[in-house]
Amino acid sequence: MKFSSKGGELKFFAAANSYNGFISYFGKVFNPERFDKIFILKGGPGTGKSSLMKRILRTGVAEGFYSEAIYCSSDVNSLDGVILSSEKRQIAVLDGTAPHATDPQIPGAVEEIINLGIGWDAKLLCEQRDRIVMLNKAKLKAYTKAYENLYISSVFHKKYEAEIESKFDFVTAERKVEEMISNLQLRGEGIILPRLISSFSKDGFTRLETLEKNSEQIIKLGGNGYSEYIFINLLVKRLNQIGANYFYFPTPYNTNSNEALYIPDCKLAVIISDKANCDINTENLCCIKSQNSEDLERYKRLKKSFIEYSCEELKCAARRHFELEDIYIEAMDFSVIEELAESVEKRCKNILSGAI
């Protein structure tokens, strides 16, 4: 199951910094049963994992293969994975290190570990041992504080959700969902796959416009910040009932809710947008009184303040990570990594062409 492409790059995430902590979808996005080959990259920060994947991605695009770029949820300038497909084969190259540590499930037959550690000078790293330990602890502490603040923010988020849900007209919403479904030509194999188009990192919330750039049809949902999420989850429920094929896109803040769907059969995206440009305004499905509005605004302000605290901690974690990268870069012999990258690149091209 693939996305259509109208010339826009297919960019996604496969993990999230959420109020329930770090959530990884790597096991579903890179399910080995759906691939002919998966190369799992192992190595410390700064050992060239992202650069190698960017190289493979450029090759895939140049060769005309179907290509997906999976970006790091904490750093949108860094790759976490690449998916390439031809008419004959499908492969992936991914970062198999923490926090989305990946080990082979079908070793040899599908997955293969690529050790970028062969390029480092262990003696130099041993000399920096105490600093590496200190930076890792500081990075972990910052992430822990970030998730704590996100969790606290969720207290006010859930109060907001509960207020909206208590005033939501589910009967009318379900009727609208049924009308939407009845106008679509859907096949029922029941294939359901996740991707993410948003992330929460040191830079705050970032949203990719992949679906807007590549979908032939788009239905935009607007609302009050939660009614649209209720609506899209009702749509998910109905698609599951009829066994439709679709991609779902969890929100990074609360991965129990979805911010978009993509149905390949009709090349349709359903996305959450702003009320000014929406096709369906789900706020009309709620009856919020003025006294309730004051409570909702208070919940939103409190939620925002703790999200801002979390963002500051993620910035701190990023600084520690970049310091770790500098240490490993200094200890790396990248000529060795260049040879390794050439080998992986050649093998990817051969596999996709059906030669191996």
Side-chain angles (χ1 to χ4, degrees):
M1 192 164 72
K2 300 177 181 178
F3 295 86
S4 62
S5 176
K6 293 166 59 180
E9 291 185 85
L10 295 173
K11 298 179 179 181
F12 303 104
F13 303 103
N17 294 313
S18 80
Y19 69 60
N20 285 317
F22 182 80
I23 306 293
S24 173
Y25 290 89
F26 269 53
K28 294 180 178 179
V29 173
F30 299 105
N31 182 345
E33 294 181 9
R34 296 186 176 277
F35 290 86
D36 295 286
K37 194 69 176 178
I38 297 178
F39 295 102
I40 302 173
L41 307 182
K42 298 285 188 177
T47 54
K49 298 186 296 295
S50 183
S51 295
L52 193 156
M53 286 184 281
K54 287 177 181 178
R55 175 177 183 154
I56 300 300
L57 180 63
R58 287 194 298 270
T59 298
V61 172
E63 294 288 331
F65 297 126
Y66 169 88
S67 307
E68 288 185 41
I70 309 297
Y71 282 85
C72 173
S73 58
S74 293
D75 182 2
V76 294
N77 295 311
S78 180
L79 279 177
D80 265 355
V82 173
I83 295 173
L84 300 177
S85 299
S86 64
E87 292 183 1
K88 300 177 180 179
R89 304 281 176 83
Q90 178 163 259
I91 68 168
V93 184
L94 62 93
D95 181 345
T97 61
H100 37 69
T102 304
D103 291 312
Q105 297 179 42
I106 313 175
V110 177
E111 299 113 322
E112 182 176 330
I113 291 176
I114 304 296
N115 178 21
L116 277 69
I118 62 173
W120 63 36
D121 186 330
K123 183 175 181 294
L124 287 177
L125 293 175
C126 286
E127 292 172 355
Q128 294 284 344
R129 179 187 180 281
D130 291 344
R131 180 162 175 75
I132 292 171
V133 170
M134 182 273 292
L135 289 171
N136 274 320
K137 287 182 177 180
K139 179 180 171 182
L140 177 60
K141 182 178 179 180
Y143 270 116
T144 299
K145 291 174 71 175
Y147 294 137
E148 285 175 349
N149 279 291
L150 280 177
Y151 183 77
I152 295 170
S153 77
S154 75
V155 173
F156 307 104
H157 176 78
K158 290 173 183 177
K159 286 180 177 290
Y160 185 93
E161 286 183 335
E163 190 67 36
I164 298 297
E165 193 165 341
S166 68
K167 305 295 190 298
F168 191 80
D169 184 350
F170 282 89
V171 174
T172 302
E174 288 172 352
R175 186 168 62 248
K176 287 182 177 292
V177 165
E178 194 60 41
E179 291 172 359
M180 185 186 299
I181 293 291
S182 65
N183 293 324
L184 304 176
Q185 298 295 321
L186 301 177
R187 292 191 292 271
E189 298 174 78
I191 300 173
I192 305 169
L193 297 174
R195 296 290 190 276
L196 287 88
I197 50 172
S198 296
S199 73
F200 176 65
S201 69
K202 61 182 175 62
D203 301 313
F205 286 98
T206 300
R207 190 175 188 280
L208 304 172
E209 295 185 345
T210 303
L211 295 181
E212 288 89 337
K213 292 180 178 179
N214 290 284
S215 303
E216 293 188 4
Q217 304 177 68
I218 299 175
I219 297 175
K220 297 180 179 179
L221 305 177
N224 50 28
Y226 185 55
S227 58
E228 58 270 51
Y229 293 93
I230 297 176
F231 189 92
I232 206 168
N233 285 343
L234 289 174
L235 181 56
V236 165
K237 180 181 177 180
R238 188 67 185 114
L239 290 173
N240 290 341
Q241 289 173 343
I242 64 177
N245 302 334
Y246 66 92
F247 288 90
Y248 65 100
F249 299 83
T251 62
Y253 177 72
N254 173 19
T255 55
N256 293 319
S257 291
N258 298 296
E259 64 176 335
L261 298 175
Y262 179 76
I263 303 173
D265 291 346
C266 45
K267 299 178 181 178
L268 166 70
V270 181
I271 63 175
I272 289 177
S273 183
D274 58 90
K275 287 187 293 185
N277 300 305
C278 69
D279 300 301
I280 300 174
N281 184 359
T282 61
E283 191 171 33
N284 296 330
L285 297 167
C286 293
C287 181
I288 304 297
K289 297 180 180 179
S290 58
Q291 62 266 34
N292 300 118
S293 296
E294 293 179 8
D295 289 336
L296 293 177
E297 288 303 316
R298 188 182 305 111
Y299 296 150
K300 287 166 68 174
R301 288 196 304 272
L302 290 167
K303 171 187 169 182
K304 181 181 177 182
S305 65
F306 283 98
I307 286 177
E308 289 173 349
Y309 295 150
S310 178
C311 192
E312 289 303 313
E313 293 300 333
L314 289 176
K315 288 179 181 178
C316 179
R319 289 194 294 270
R320 302 293 85 82
H321 180 80
F322 294 145
E323 289 181 65
L324 283 165
E325 282 189 339
D326 289 341
I327 293 172
Y328 278 83
I329 289 171
E330 188 68 25
M332 290 295 294
D333 180 350
F334 284 104
S335 65
V336 175
I337 303 304
E338 174 65 20
E339 292 179 10
L340 186 60
E342 286 181 5
S343 173
V344 174
E345 179 184 17
K346 182 177 180 180
R347 292 181 64 192
C348 287
K349 290 170 65 175
N350 287 339
I351 292 168
L352 290 167
S353 65
I356 296 177

